[in-house]
Structure formats: C-alpha cells, structure tokens
Amino acid sequence: MSLIGKEVEPFKAQAYKNGDFIEVTEEDFKGHWTVVCFYPADFTFVCPTELEDLQEQYPKLQELGVEVFSVSRDSHFTHKAWHDTSEKIGKITYGMIGDPAHVLSRNFDVYVEDLGQADRGTFIIDPDGVIQAVEINAEGIGRDASTLINKIKAAQYVRKNPGEVCPAKWEEGEETLKPNLDLVGKL
C-alpha cells in the first residue's frame, strides 16, 4: 500500500539535536518541507556514511526550506553516544529521532519485523504533513542525499503550479509539462 498522498500519522518521540534532547511529533513535520530518513541502527557500517552525506546536503536543503530528521530503532540516548564518539556522526546538526518501540518505522511502513529494524527509507513530506515522495532501499544499499535536492525542487514547483508536472531529469528553470489532450501520444 502506497503512502504517497497520505498524512503522517500522529506520534510522539524523543530526539537528539545539537546537544539537546527534544520531543518530536507529527506537528514538527508541518509548516515546511521535511525529509525523514530511516536507517537500520546506530554504530553500524553503511548508516554513518549515509547520515554524514545527508549532513553535507543539509545546508542546501535548509535553503529550500526543508527540515531533516533521521530515525532508527535506537534511543535518543544512543544517538547522543554515537554523536559523541563518531567523527562522521559528530558532524550532524539535524534531529536524530529515537524509535525503540518501532512506532515511526511501522507508521512509515519500513519496519522489518524479523530484524527489529527499519529499511533504508527516505520520505519527502510537504508543509501540510502529506508524504509526496518515497525511496526505500534494502539494508546493504546506501543512498545519495544529493538526489533529494531536485526531487524537492520538483515537488515544490508542482505544489506552487497546479496543473503542471515535472518530466524526468527536470531541473529548476527547465520546461515543465501541462497535461492535456494535445500532449497525448506526442511525448
């Protein structure tokens, strides 16, 4: 069942961000664009490379009005310990949500029951708290956070320009399409 077009379900979780423990709810995903990045677990192998890559893109995402949260099965205490001991994770300034009860990973349909952890899932959420894009990878396949930039720009463009759509490989400033009968069979 696709989560595209669905509003984020209510939740309450603890997170670690910039030296503080904070509470995060679905309301924190509203009023701006949000990227939620699920990963299996702290103190692993592919995960720190992905989260560091996401941090490298974080300033560009913030310029687009996007907030970022990572989520794993670990507690906010474990996130702090990892942040304090890992060179890669120590760079992170976005919120790291703890999901030890698997509420979020189940809500976002990325929970792997027999492993007790989440798949690598990336979700782009609009300012109304509605999921607009989803990418899910198997445990051993790392993601490239730079691909989020054009996806978010396209989602923002479509939101601001009803009736227009962005074709494959669309980049900001390029032509879009206005679906209508005249285009049928001509693309």
Side-chain angles (χ1 to χ4, degrees):
M1 182 161 107
S2 176
L3 294 177
I4 300 294
K6 304 257 194 254
E7 193 168 339
V8 174
E9 293 182 32
F11 74 91
K12 187 184 293 185
Q14 297 298 310
Y16 177 74
K17 182 176 182 178
N18 293 329
D20 293 316
F21 293 132
I22 61 171
E23 183 176 271
V24 180
T25 73
E26 73 283 356
E27 293 301 315
D28 293 297
F29 295 175
K30 293 181 180 176
H32 51 80
W33 290 83
T34 304
V35 168
V36 179
C37 178
F38 286 87
Y39 63 97
D42 292 0
F43 295 100
T44 56
F45 311 102
V46 176
C47 300
T49 66
E50 288 187 309
L51 298 181
E52 178 185 41
D53 181 47
L54 187 56
Q55 177 60 41
E56 289 170 2
Q57 298 302 320
Y58 189 44
K60 291 178 190 171
L61 292 165
Q62 287 189 305
E63 287 174 17
L64 294 171
V66 178
E67 191 48 67
V68 173
F69 294 92
S70 62
V71 184
S72 80
R73 68 181 179 187
D74 303 283
S75 73
H76 54 297
F77 299 114
T78 307
H79 291 332
K80 181 191 181 318
W82 196 25
H83 190 274
D84 290 350
T85 58
S86 168
E87 182 180 331
K88 291 180 181 306
I89 301 306
K91 299 173 186 176
I92 292 175
T93 58
Y94 53 80
M96 301 176 73
I97 300 173
D99 189 30
H102 316 295
V103 171
L104 278 157
S105 57
R106 284 189 172 104
N107 286 357
F108 282 83
D109 202 24
V110 293
Y111 185 62
V112 182
E113 191 78 38
D114 59 332
L115 297 176
Q117 65 191 28
D119 280 327
R120 297 182 190 287
T122 307
F123 297 82
I124 297 173
I125 302 166
D126 73 18
D128 297 321
V130 176
I131 298 168
Q132 296 297 321
V134 176
E135 176 187 358
I136 300 177
N137 293 3
E139 184 179 347
I141 303 169
R143 294 161 283 186
D144 178 352
S146 69
T147 63
L148 290 169
I149 304 300
N150 277 349
K151 286 180 189 179
I152 289 167
K153 286 180 179 180
Q156 290 175 338
Y157 184 90
V158 168
R159 181 179 172 94
K160 289 178 187 171
N161 298 278
E164 293 184 45
V165 296
C166 297
K169 298 184 181 181
W170 178 85
E171 292 190 26
E172 189 174 31
E174 291 183 351
E175 285 189 42
T176 58
L177 301 171
K178 292 183 181 180
N180 61 60
L181 287 175
D182 294 337
L183 285 180
V184 176
K186 296 192 175 144
L187 294 176

